[in-house]
């Protein structure tokens, strides 16, 4: 049991500042890990902070001693595969609107988790094809879906921002943007108006064109 606690403690100590993790990810026997996490989270001098049952954040480290918790990073961990920005928040992340939502919405596949933060909300999505997308791709798909629900820039300017790479730079921290993957996943979105699919086609064409231009430059 002592070895199990030591292994768990070493794993936690090795995490960078701002990392979110589930108790189930910590190596070692649960009988050792659970009391260790409880003790660390209850120590005001230790960087481990409990966010909700079984979910924790390492708020600082010796290399980065300034406490910081990015709830959007934690929300993506909770959202899991197929998760990403949703609604007006997604449109804002793509820089297609100057509106700043007071709550950050995240799309999830299946049953939404309970949010541990009042500024974060999860929305259920049933399109199983989203499982193959990166968080950036889900966010862009959602941005197209909710484009008319915000106070957006003109649609032509939105497509141009995809083509010139501005949207890619805005969403780059969330992962890759693949035109074929987004196009394929969008076919599984049920109940959407033809305009949605037309816009997805324009966005994916712009993405493919931007990728081609970058390859030509190289």
């Amino acid at each position: 049991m002592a070895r199990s606690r030591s292994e768990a403690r070493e794993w936690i100590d090795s995490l960078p500042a701002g990392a979110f993790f589930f108790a189930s990810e910590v190596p070692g026997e649960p009988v050792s890990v659970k009391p260790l996490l409880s003790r660390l989270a209850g120590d005001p001098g230790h960087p481990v902070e409990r966010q909700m049952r079984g979910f924790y954040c390492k708020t600082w480290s010796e290399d980065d001693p300034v406490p910081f918790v990015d709830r959007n990073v934690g929300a993506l961990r909770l959202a899991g595969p197929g998760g990403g920005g949703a609604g007006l928040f997604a449109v804002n992340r793509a820089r297609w609107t100057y509106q700043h939502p007071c709550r950050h919405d995240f799309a999830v596949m299946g049953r939404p988790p309970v949010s541990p933060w009042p500024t974060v909300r999860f929305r259920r999505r049933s399109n199983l094809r989203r499982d193959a997308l990166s968080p950036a791709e889900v966010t862009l798909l959602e941005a197209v879906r909710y484009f008319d629900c915000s106070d957006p820039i003109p649609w032509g300017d939105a497509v141009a921002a995809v083509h010139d790479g501005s949207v890619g730079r805005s969403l780059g921290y969330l992962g890759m943007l693949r035109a074929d993957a987004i196009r394929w996943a969008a076919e599984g979105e049920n109940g959407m108006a033809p305009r949605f699919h037309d816009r997805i086609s324009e966005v994916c064409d712009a993405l493919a064109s931007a990728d081609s231009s970058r390859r030509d430059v190289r």
Side-chain angles (χ1 to χ4, degrees), residues 20 55 70-80 106 117 120 122:
F20 287 84
F55 189 57
D70 187 343
R71 292 185 176 92
N72 290 338
V73 174
L76 284 172
R77 286 301 318 272
L78 286 174
F106 288 84
W117 313 290
V120 173
F122 295 96

Side-chain angles (χ1 to χ4, degrees), residues 6-17:
S6 175
E7 184 180 13
R9 183 62 186 264
E10 289 177 4
W11 185 89
I12 293 169
D13 289 343
S14 70
L15 292 174

Side-chain angles (χ1 to χ4, degrees), residues 20-85:
F20 287 84
F21 63 95
F22 295 95
S24 58
E25 296 179 272
V26 182
E29 296 296 326
V31 68
S32 298
V33 171
K34 286 185 66 176
L36 172 64
L37 287 173
S38 179
R39 179 170 58 82
L40 294 180
D43 180 358
H46 196 274
V48 167
E49 183 178 285
R50 183 179 183 271
Q51 304 297 303
M52 61 186 295
R53 183 177 181 181
F55 189 57
Y56 298 82
C57 179
K58 186 176 180 182
T59 58
W60 54 270
S61 68
E62 291 183 0
D63 296 329
D64 191 1
V66 179
F68 179 70
V69 178
D70 187 343
R71 292 185 176 92
N72 290 338
V73 174
L76 284 172
R77 286 301 318 272
L78 286 174

Side-chain angles (χ1 to χ4, degrees), residues 177-205:
L177 288 172
R178 300 163 298 170
D180 290 345
I182 296 172
R183 201 189 305 268
W184 176 76
E187 293 173 358
E189 297 287 308
N190 294 323
M192 302 303 296
R195 174 182 288 185
F196 165 78
H197 295 286
D198 291 342
R199 285 177 169 174
I200 283 291
S201 181
E202 290 183 64
V203 163
C204 290
D205 287 346

